[in-house]
Amino acid sequence: MDKKGTLFIVATPIGNLEDITIRAIKILGDVDLIAAEDTRHTLKLLNHLKISKPLISYHRHNEGTKTEILIKELKNGKDIALVSDAGTPGISDPGEEIIKKCIEEGIDIVPIPGACAMINALICSGIDTKEFQFLGFLPLNKKLRKNKIEEIRNANKTVILYEAPHKLLTTLEDLKEILNNRRIVLARELTKIHEEFIRESIDSLIDKSKDIKGEIVLIIEANKNIKENDFAKLSIEEQYNFYKEQGLEKKEIIKKIAKNKNVNKNEIYKKFIK
Ligand code: SAM
């Protein structure tokens, strides 16, 4: 049987063009085809690296059809590099779909590590890095958004969000409403000339928001009032009251307690019926 090709998931710079590994350059030069989120954008990087390769567009709106085409090429023995506009593919960027399909089809996938905005924002934030949760962009739908921010309020680990500059003020105001004045570090324009870490309260970020431009990552400090061990020690009733005070719906509370206590949610439900 003919050998199948390999899909390389290649991280590219998030600003500074020098942030690309020697291995990534080698892979981009060796593959038969590069699948790129925006071919014009990637062409600039390839020109900078003096690499000339056939490019095929692969973005959110054509992921389905292009996945099929790329899988066919891989089955025909072609090696493909997948890149996004910036950073690591699959992290708030296309990638998941073709990766799942490759696994189904027995096609090798190889990660080529490199820049990722959330990791670089986190490591220099000064906020705890031991445990963290990456939530990507907050949903736009009001209810889902509120639920997500409530999740952040209850999180006992650092939370990382991506945000676009024109939505920053609305996001900060929404966060303020539910989190109050929790400590947030705003990292912007990482690896670029105007790279900056703003380590202030939500209030002061709101005041400054109209002057904050460029690409943004928000690092939110954990809810210091909840420590996982302490929380596990709480009785079902105490946990119930805690979540109720946080404004959670009964169904959601039961689900959370069942998870905390590592039991089936029907068991918790029965206790409440009693
Ligand atoms: N795949 C990328 C990664 O690995 O970080 C993320 C892509 S996502 C579509 C774009 C978001 O990432 C931006 O809206 C911003 O929140 C964040 N981002 C990307 N580059 C950044 C930079 N240089 N500085 C700060 N944030 C950045």
Side-chain angles (χ1 to χ4, degrees):
M1 202 170 68
D2 289 339
K3 198 184 170 315
K4 289 174 186 163
T6 298
L7 178 69
F8 295 92
I9 310 298
V10 182
T12 57
I14 54 170
N16 188 326
L17 289 183
E18 293 186 356
D19 291 329
I20 183 154
T21 67
I22 296 167
R23 186 169 173 224
I25 298 171
K26 187 174 177 305
I27 296 288
L28 291 175
D30 284 351
V31 289
D32 299 294
L33 186 66
I34 299 175
E37 193 181 1
D38 178 344
T39 51
R40 282 170 307 176
H41 186 94
T42 299
L43 193 57
K44 283 186 203 151
L45 175 70
L46 294 180
N47 287 341
H48 174 78
L49 300 172
K50 301 193 172 42
I51 292 173
S52 167
K53 277 288 146 179
L55 284 161
I56 178 167
S57 86
Y58 185 82
H59 51 70
R60 285 256 178 264
H61 307 290
N62 68 12
E63 245 180 316
T65 50
K66 289 294 171 80
T67 292
E68 274 178 39
I69 296 173
L70 294 176
I71 292 287
K72 220 175 192 176
E73 297 283 8
L74 287 157
K75 281 182 166 171
N76 285 336
K78 297 260 166 63
D79 286 333
I80 300 178
L82 174 72
V83 299
S84 62
D85 284 354
T88 302
I91 301 298
S92 296
D93 266 342
E96 272 168 277
E97 194 160 321
I98 187 161
I99 289 164
K100 285 182 186 153
K101 197 76 193 160
C102 282
I103 296 167
E104 266 175 47
E105 300 283 351
I107 295 166
D108 289 341
I109 320 153
V110 176
I112 307 296
C116 181
M118 63 142 164
I119 293 294
N120 291 286
L122 173 70
I123 57 174
C124 290
S125 66
I127 290 185
D128 289 357
T129 58
K130 210 193 266 163
E131 276 193 283
F132 60 89
Q133 192 177 13
F134 172 63
L135 296 180
F137 292 94
L138 283 175
L140 296 178
N141 172 289
K142 267 195 168 175
K143 190 162 188 310
L144 296 178
R145 191 173 170 89
K146 188 164 174 267
N147 290 346
K148 256 306 159 220
I149 304 178
E150 276 166 356
E151 206 181 292
I152 299 174
R153 179 183 56 192
N154 299 333
N156 57 358
K157 46 184 77 102
T158 302
V159 172
I160 310 173
L161 295 178
Y162 279 167
E163 195 44 285
H166 63 282
K167 295 196 193 126
L168 178 64
L169 178 59
T170 314
T171 294
L172 290 172
E173 283 173 344
D174 290 350
L175 289 172
K176 161 85 190 176
E177 200 178 310
I178 298 177
L179 306 183
N180 288 318
N181 219 3
R182 183 96 60 85
R183 193 156 76 101
I184 291 189
V185 172
L186 183 150
R188 70 173 199 101
E189 293 290 86
L190 293 166
T191 78
K192 304 184 201 174
I193 297 169
H194 298 292
E195 176 178 278
E196 186 181 18
F197 286 84
I198 311 178
R199 299 178 178 88
E200 290 175 19
S201 64
I202 303 186
D203 278 339
S204 107
L205 285 174
I206 289 175
D207 289 344
K208 289 184 170 171
S209 67
K210 68 172 189 327
D211 300 319
I212 299 177
K213 308 228 154 43
E215 299 200 271
I216 291 158
V217 183
L218 296 172
I219 312 286
I220 305 171
E221 187 166 54
N223 183 346
K224 295 276 185 186
N225 296 323
I226 310 172
K227 294 248 168 24
E228 207 149 34
N229 288 340
D230 296 349
F231 206 77
K233 281 185 216 147
L234 295 182
S235 69
I236 291 178
E237 285 71 22
E238 283 168 326
Q239 290 198 16
Y240 184 86
N241 291 337
F242 170 83
Y243 286 130
K244 201 162 171 226
E245 265 172 40
Q246 310 266 319
L248 263 67
E249 306 271 348
K250 190 171 175 180
K251 214 169 126 195
E252 187 62 17
I253 298 178
I254 290 174
K255 213 163 105 191
K256 279 189 181 291
I257 300 176
K259 195 171 166 219
N260 297 340
K261 296 271 173 195
N262 200 18
V263 294
N264 189 296
K265 64 177 188 277
N266 289 336
E267 264 182 56
I268 307 289
Y269 196 74
K270 271 188 225 146
K271 271 196 197 295
F272 279 101
I273 302 279
K274 266 197 222 156

